[in-house]
Amino acid sequence: MEGRTALLIGASGLVGSELLTLLLESDIYRYVTIFVRRELPIKHRKLQQVVVDFNELESYEHYFHVDDVFSCLGTTMKKAKTKQQFIKVDYEYTMRAAALAEKCDVKSFLMVSSLGANPRSPFFYNRVKGETEEALKQLTIKSLHIFRPSLLLGKRQEFRLAEKLAEWLLSLLPFLFIGKWRKYKPVEAKKVALAMFYAATSCQKGIYIYESDHISHIS
């Protein structure tokens, strides 16, 4: 198990930053490469940062010769501004990365999707996530792991009202998230990162989808 190598895409995000810490601190991984738009203020003997143009992702194919590829790519409509740009980040970039991972015969590809992902959803966000999942399932990657977290909690650089309201509800009205509503309970980004880490190191073959209420129990 020791001596694994990893490529992490989306290391500056909420889940990605937590996952990067886990990978660098773990004795299991000897080398970690991250794709970034601009270099992060992190130095580590195991870390290689590669500033990439995501529109030219195929130019970086040689970096995909690793054991595990983690994709924490994702944006919001507020940041993307247009549906076309949202699709480019959440669907196109993810699928191009996955195709390169398949071509380089990685052991596992792990990606962050979303609660409610469904290619037939009437909601644009959930529909794109669902279409991405369906396209990923058509690839021949040995081990595919898809994580569908609910609202993510953690320290963000920008203020988000939805997260603050969720934290308030969770602290004052925990009974709202029981029974069939359990999967809607907000989840800490660190727990999603831990679940991705454990799934990668489990060496299980096949396609696995983890709903939000199960993510915290993966270890």
Side-chain angles (χ1 to χ4, degrees):
M1 178 65 73
E2 292 184 5
R4 293 175 80 89
T5 55
L7 170 61
L8 169 58
I9 307 172
S12 63
L14 199 57
V15 175
S17 60
E18 295 283 2
L19 181 56
L20 177 58
T21 299
L22 289 172
L23 294 172
L24 293 178
E25 292 179 350
S26 169
D27 292 332
I28 294 175
Y29 288 87
R30 63 178 173 83
Y31 203 73
V32 180
T33 300
I34 59 174
F35 281 0
V36 293
R37 288 189 172 88
R38 61 186 64 84
E39 194 164 314
L40 302 180
I42 302 171
K43 300 293 182 183
H44 194 283
R45 60 180 178 79
K46 295 198 299 186
L47 178 63
Q48 175 182 219
Q49 299 199 48
V50 182
V51 178
V52 303
D53 178 354
F54 282 90
N55 292 313
E56 303 291 337
L57 202 56
E58 287 71 21
S59 301
Y60 307 91
E61 178 182 328
H62 55 288
Y63 290 107
F64 284 81
H65 290 283
V66 295
D67 293 305
D68 308 307
V69 174
F70 298 89
S71 176
C72 299
L73 282 171
T75 187
T76 62
M77 279 303 298
K78 183 178 180 180
K79 286 185 177 180
K81 300 187 184 305
T82 66
K83 289 184 176 181
Q84 182 179 6
Q85 186 60 28
F86 181 89
I87 291 172
K88 176 178 282 190
V89 174
D90 279 62
Y91 181 88
E92 291 183 15
Y93 290 168
T94 300
M95 289 309 306
R96 287 165 67 182
L100 288 168
E102 177 188 43
K103 184 177 180 180
C104 294
D105 198 28
V106 302
K107 292 178 180 177
S108 65
F109 185 88
L110 307 94
M111 66 88 68
V112 180
S113 183
S114 175
L115 176 71
N118 187 328
R120 291 169 293 281
S121 173
F123 303 105
F124 174 75
Y125 180 90
N126 290 345
R127 186 167 67 252
V128 173
K129 293 293 188 181
E131 289 171 350
T132 305
E133 289 187 10
E134 290 304 307
L136 285 171
K137 293 176 187 177
Q138 303 309 309
L139 301 180
T140 56
I141 295 172
K142 296 184 181 72
S143 183
L144 173 64
H145 299 263
I146 297 171
F147 298 81
R148 295 176 174 172
S150 180
L151 190 66
L152 290 169
L153 299 178
K155 293 182 179 180
R156 296 183 185 270
Q157 294 181 347
E158 77 277 15
F159 174 81
R160 290 192 182 182
L161 179 61
E163 277 86 346
K164 294 302 178 183
L165 288 174
E167 290 177 7
W168 178 80
L169 285 171
L170 192 57
S171 62
L172 295 181
L173 305 170
F175 57 85
L176 290 178
F177 303 104
I178 60 175
K180 66 179 182 179
W181 301 103
R182 186 179 293 112
K183 67 179 181 179
Y184 296 100
K185 181 179 178 180
V187 59
E188 293 179 13
K190 186 172 184 177
K191 290 185 177 180
V192 180
L194 275 168
M196 296 180 78
F197 177 86
Y198 284 125
T201 55
S202 69
C203 300
Q204 293 177 308
K205 294 184 178 180
I207 299 174
Y208 301 88
I209 297 177
Y210 308 93
E211 297 294 349
S212 192
D213 53 328
H214 295 147
I215 286 174
S216 298
H217 304 295
I218 301 172
S219 61

